[in-house]
Amino acid sequence: MSRRSRQILLTLAWHALRGLVHFSASRRRAAFAREMRLALQVLGPAFVKLGQVVSVRPDVFGPELVFEFEKLQDQVASLPASEIRSVIEAEFGMAPEVLFASFEDTPLASASIAQVHRATLARSYRPVVGAVLPAGTNLAVKVVRPGGEEAILADIATARPIAARLARIKRFARYNLEGLLDEFASTLCSECDLRREARVADRFAFDFRDDALMVVPRVVWPCTSRRVLTTEFVEGWRLSELGEPLARGIDARRLAEHGAQVFLRQVLEIGRFHADLHPANIFVTPEGRICYLDFGITGTTSPSQRIAIAQVLAATVYGDADRALRYSAELGLVVPAAREAVVRMKVGALMAQTLATAPRDIRGFAVGFLRVLDDERVEVPVGYGLLVKALVTVEGVARALYPEIDITEVAGPYATRMVAQWTFQPAVIAKRLPQAFSAALRELAG
Amino acid sequence: MPSNDQFIRLLAAWALVHETADEGWKAAIERGVVQAPGEMGAGPEAFVNGLSALVADEKERLKASLSAAGSGPAQDGSDLGVHLDELRFEVAELRGQIESMQASLDALLRRSEG
């Protein structure tokens, strides 16, 4: 066993033991999740990224791990500017000062896969969406770190035998850790091709072209390649640094409500949603607009899924467990008949506990709901889990802007409107009319 | 009473029903518009009021879009506009990707020349 393998195994074992010392099951699960997060931070960028993958898989892992791993921050020491410059030179055959009007050596941010530098546009450019960007526009240049991908893959290769060993233990077998490592490696490869992210960013900019309160940085394609992504630079504050914009009198409530509506529009109308929303990926601009960044993880919803999601949302907001579970089945969440009554009873009790009175606790409901499904061994479809988690994140983001917000007040009417629009479609009415007519006749005859 | 009067009375009854329903509808909208967020879930009446306000809001939107479509060149102008926008986006998206490929190609040529 190599030195690194030993280090990985010992770190995981030590933190796992620390997390298992509580008697109460709920405390033990929370402590175990916290210790595992600390272990991943100690083990470095590869494991932090792996933890981030776990945090978007509530279909595989328990809610405690999923929501705890959300806190993992992918931050590493920055690389010397010379190494970043050499990547730009290799990709475009010219120095950054020739490609751009100016290029700053001090990075704006540094993560395990890429590093971001500021630059200015050399010539005016017409982006895929929106007005022409004039020469001199501030830019954000994201550059893949040389060797970053290889270093992470090397660590993953070291972790593979450990995962295989853990898979032999019954408790860990259901997590399919080796499968997770494979999926992680393939996600990593696609994440390192920044053209994919650029295409998604353009699509989001197009989807929200009519929304005056939304900003998506536009891509400068002639300065974009597999390892370099250049977008316009958007001034703003992260959600964790909101003291200044709030002091400037930005209407936080309006912005928080709009943020929630923007997400609902993505899921229920457009059919494409940002599935990695966390405070580092959202900015508030000086004009009081919301800016989305980083389009690495996105989800999609089909038209039939959209209406089922609207039904589930409306049923959840109005505390109707039976209806929520019925429409969840259309999204692939199949509760075996033998456990249906128990699940319905537990979900109903959870709704009464978390959603019946204001302020409603969406996060508490989601964690509890996923826990019920896990306890009752109900398989959660990938998209369903991602959506539940995304909704919780949206609530967190909205609360970071305006702590008193209750997003069910936004989601309820929105979902009701979607359901009403769908119900009154001519095709749906035509399908339901004969049933309604015979029901009315039966009523009259009785 | 002559049959003509009965017919007029029937129409009057229909107009009265319509007027009463219309007043009820307008009152429900008024109550729905002033509802506080979340109040819609307070009970059946609150739900109907809230729904009436939502429907009235949608009706205004529909009215605006119909009048905009009516002033355009074709009856289905808004649909055509959406398709045109989509198509323009797809063309622009392709242009972007070609620009990126061109930049990579230029870099390779520069390297081979250098």
Side-chain angles (χ1 to χ4, degrees), chain A residues 90-94 125-129 199 202-203 206 209 221-222 224-225 253 318 409 413 416-417 421, chain B residues 37-38 40-41 47 51 54 57-58 61 82 85-86 89 92-93 95-97 99-100 103-104 106-107 110-111:
Chain A
E91 291 290 292
F92 297 99
M94 58 180 91
Y125 175 68
R126 183 158 63 95
V128 168
V129 180
R199 281 196 294 274
D202 269 345
R203 186 73 229 192
F206 177 71
R209 65 197 181 285
W221 281 99
T224 294
S225 67
R253 183 183 180 138
Y318 294 111
E409 290 175 1
T416 308
R417 208 179 88 197
Q421 273 176 4
Chain B
M40 203 172 160
F47 179 78
L51 190 64
L54 285 173
D57 196 31
E58 191 61 38
R61 249 196 295 260
V82 170
D85 268 3
E86 273 285 339
F89 170 72
E93 203 184 18
R95 169 179 57 83
Q97 284 167 41
E99 284 167 350
S100 168
S104 300
D106 290 345
R110 259 181 230 114
R111 209 181 299 166

Side-chain angles (χ1 to χ4, degrees), chain A residues 438-446:
Chain A
S438 26
L441 281 177
R442 272 200 306 275
E443 199 64 32
L444 283 171

Side-chain angles (χ1 to χ4, degrees), chain A residues 55-283:
Chain A
S55 81
V56 290
R57 294 300 305 270
D59 52 307
V60 179
F61 298 93
E64 294 81 6
L65 277 178
V66 164
F67 289 107
E68 183 66 36
F69 283 11
E70 201 179 50
K71 296 175 192 160
L72 287 165
Q73 295 282 321
D74 181 15
Q75 284 170 337
V76 296
S78 57
L79 276 181
S82 58
E83 293 194 38
I84 296 296
R85 285 169 167 277
S86 66
V87 175
I88 295 176
E89 280 178 25
E91 291 290 292
F92 297 99
M94 58 180 91
E97 280 76 14
V98 183
L99 184 65
F100 304 107
S102 67
F103 181 84
E104 285 181 19
D105 279 345
T106 314
L108 290 166
S110 184
S112 48
I113 295 291
Q115 191 159 306
V116 183
H117 287 255
R118 202 168 171 148
T120 50
L121 189 64
R123 282 168 292 280
S124 67
Y125 175 68
R126 183 158 63 95
V128 168
V129 180
V132 169
L133 298 171
T137 298
N138 283 326
L139 303 171
V141 185
K142 184 172 176 178
V143 182
V144 171
R145 291 165 70 105
E149 185 181 2
E150 292 76 7
I152 291 178
L153 287 175
D155 243 0
I156 296 304
T158 314
R160 192 174 291 278
I162 300 172
R165 207 172 290 185
L166 283 174
R168 281 184 228 136
I169 304 170
K170 200 179 165 193
R171 191 179 166 78
F172 293 103
R174 61 188 274 249
Y175 295 132
N176 183 18
L177 294 173
E178 286 176 280
L180 183 78
L181 289 178
D182 288 339
E183 186 192 318
F184 175 51
S186 100
T187 311
L188 191 69
C189 292
S190 89
E191 208 180 312
C192 287
D193 185 348
L194 297 177
R195 289 170 301 188
R196 186 192 155 276
E197 188 180 334
R199 281 196 294 274
V200 180
D202 269 345
R203 186 73 229 192
F204 268 79
F206 177 71
D207 288 343
F208 286 95
R209 65 197 181 285
D210 58 350
D211 189 331
L213 285 180
M214 266 294 284
V215 191
V216 177
R218 286 164 298 166
V219 178
V220 180
W221 281 99
C223 305
T224 294
S225 67
R226 188 179 182 276
R227 293 194 292 164
V228 178
L229 166 61
T230 305
T231 63
E232 63 179 319
F233 179 83
V234 177
E235 294 279 356
W237 302 273
R238 285 173 195 274
L239 289 188
S240 49
E241 313 158 345
L242 277 178
E244 199 183 328
L246 293 180
R248 285 187 184 200
I250 281 178
D251 187 346
R253 183 183 180 138
R254 178 168 162 253
L255 209 58
E257 284 177 352
H258 191 73
Q261 275 167 357
V262 161
F263 180 73
L264 290 167
R265 190 175 160 204
Q266 290 170 50
V267 173
L268 298 178
E269 289 183 46
I270 295 168
R272 266 179 301 278
F273 62 98
H274 194 304
D276 191 23
L277 286 177
H278 55 76
N281 284 348
I282 302 177
F283 266 49

Side-chain angles (χ1 to χ4, degrees), chain B residues 42-66:
Chain B
E45 273 196 34
F47 179 78
V48 170
N49 294 339
L51 190 64
S52 303
L54 285 173
V55 171
D57 196 31
E58 191 61 38
K59 187 194 78 181
E60 289 306 316
R61 249 196 295 260
L62 181 66
K63 215 156 68 176
S65 87
L66 286 175

